[in-house]
């Protein structure tokens, strides 16, 4: 069970990081899956190395067991004030150290919500679960975020209901008194629940170890939150493939099949 303070922190600040019941064995097998799926590829001569490697639609059992972990479903229900929630999509991301690089980050929102979306019951929004598979320090590519910025944008949306379903850079957002960016720090095995309607972005890894995170967003069942609509067919294909691989008592987290 999350505390009322933790749920309020999600709603007001946009992110909250908590301890989880994930076991050492489960975390170790999930890390192994990450390392085999996301190797560092040496660039060919003259090419630039890709330090941020990612993948979608994973089928490795330890990662499927994160998607179907009851702790994530239960926490997403509490955060969203929803009787039931459904899984949206997943991505795994590994950020390798960049020797000699300067610390930089990109700021954007992926989606906009109005204050009434954020404050309704259930909330008409995603709760993104970020499962940390490495410690995250100020140096190892922390996600940078501006606490409370989703609420400023949500207030602006009341007068200007310009919804989006693709990322928008900070320079194209309304000029509002946003808080300064802060790093989201966490320990391996913790989960951050956050909204990508808050200004956020990936940063450079200037540390000495790779940062590993798995994104697992949920929305309230029966509430359509429009996002990444270009990939909707691909998502349903993944749900169909994932269904038989989930435990029978966990399949209810998948969205209803489309006709
Ligand atoms: Fe984003």
């Amino acid at each position: 069970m999350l505390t009322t303070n933790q749920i309020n922190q999600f709603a007001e600040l946009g992110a909250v990081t908590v301890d989880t019941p994930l076991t050492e064995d489960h975390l170790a097998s999930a890390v192994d899956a990450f390392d085999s799926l996301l190797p560092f590829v040496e660039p060919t001569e003259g090419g630039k190395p890709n330090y941020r490697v990612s993948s979608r639609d994973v089928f490795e059992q330890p990662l499927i067991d994160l998607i179907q972990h009851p702790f994530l479903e239960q926490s997403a229900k509490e955060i969203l004030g929803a009787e039931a929630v459904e899984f949206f999509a997943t991505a795994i991301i590994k950020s390798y150290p960049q020797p000699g690089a300067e610390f930089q980050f990109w700021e954007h929102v992926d989606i906009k919500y109005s204050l009434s979306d954020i404050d309704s019951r259930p909330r008409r929004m995603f709760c993104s679960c970020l499962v940390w598979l490495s410690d995250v320090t100020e140096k190892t590519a922390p996600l940078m975020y501006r606490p409370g910025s989703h609420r400023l944008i949500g207030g602006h949306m009341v007068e200007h209901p310009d919804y989006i379903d693709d990322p928008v850079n900070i320079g194209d957002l309304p000029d509002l008194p946003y808080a300064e960016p802060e790093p989201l720090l966490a320990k391996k095995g913790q989960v951050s629940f956050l909204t990508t309607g808050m200004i956020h972005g990936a940063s450079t890894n200037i540390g000495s170890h790779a940062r590993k995170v798995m994104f697992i967003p949920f929305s309230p069942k029966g509430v359509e939150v429009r996002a990444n609509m270009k990939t909707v067919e691909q998502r349903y294909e993944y749900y169909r493939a994932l269904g038989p691989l989930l435990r029978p008592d966990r399949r209810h987290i998948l969205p209803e099949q489309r006709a």
Side-chain angles (χ1 to χ4, degrees), residues 38-56:
L38 304 175
F40 183 73
V41 179
E42 289 294 340
T44 48
E45 196 147 336
K48 276 193 182 164
N50 183 12
Y51 290 107
R52 191 166 185 273
V53 196
S54 64
S55 180
R56 296 186 165 273

Side-chain angles (χ1 to χ4, degrees), residues 108 110 196 200:
H108 67 282
D110 295 288
T196 55
H200 67 283

Side-chain angles (χ1 to χ4, degrees), residues 2 15 26-27 29 72 85 111 120 139 147 166 214 222 225 241 254:
L2 300 178
H26 189 178
L27 291 171
S29 55
L72 298 188
V85 292
I111 191 163
S120 63
K139 289 188 170 178
D166 264 327
M214 183 165 181
V225 183
L254 290 181

Side-chain angles (χ1 to χ4, degrees), residues 105-174:
F105 53 96
W106 169 51
E107 294 188 280
H108 67 282
V109 301
D110 295 288
I111 191 163
K112 284 182 181 176
Y113 302 107
S114 75
L115 277 184
S116 61
D117 293 330
I118 298 169
D119 291 332
S120 63
R121 294 290 180 281
R123 303 184 200 279
R124 295 188 293 268
M125 64 190 300
F126 290 117
C127 168
S128 293
C129 308
L130 277 63
V131 183
W132 300 107
L133 293 171
S134 66
D135 290 349
V136 191
T137 68
E138 289 184 352
K139 289 188 170 178
T140 53
L143 181 125
M144 300 298 292
Y145 75 108
R146 294 188 185 243
S149 50
H150 60 304
R151 297 195 71 88
L152 290 177
I153 295 166
H156 188 263
M157 286 280 281
V158 174
E159 296 287 319
H160 307 88
D162 47 346
Y163 285 85
I164 58 162
D165 60 23
D166 264 327
V168 169
N169 288 326
I170 189 168
D172 296 322
L173 288 170

